[in-house]
Amino acid sequence: MIDGIEWRKAGQSSTQGGECVELSTNIAEVTYICDSKDPHGPRLALRAADLAALVGRIKSGFLDL
């Protein structure tokens, strides 16, 4: 567990469950991503440029999610 991280969930997320990720505040140039259904589970750590590239690929439909 990483202490002191503030997480934010997408505004479209509901309390009904489903598919949702949460992003951390930017800590030392790194943003952490976790599954909101498993908040103590594994986390993905990305630098700003890598996060922007991932979001771009998701939005373009390049990734089959």
Side-chain angles (χ1 to χ4, degrees):
M1 174 118 184
I2 303 166
D3 293 327
I5 290 181
E6 291 183 34
W7 296 94
R8 56 189 168 99
K9 192 184 297 189
Q12 294 82 7
S13 297
S14 71
T15 58
Q16 308 300 344
E19 309 294 323
C20 184
V21 297
E22 294 183 41
L23 297 178
S24 72
T25 54
N26 188 308
I27 299 173
E29 304 301 318
V30 174
T31 298
Y32 294 91
I33 302 172
C34 76
D35 181 344
S36 62
K37 294 181 299 305
D38 187 11
H40 300 292
R43 291 173 171 83
L44 179 63
L46 296 171
R47 292 175 296 168
D50 297 324
L51 178 59
L54 174 62
V55 170
R57 293 181 113 194
I58 291 169
K59 286 182 174 183
S60 74
F62 183 78
L63 300 174
D64 184 22
L65 301 176

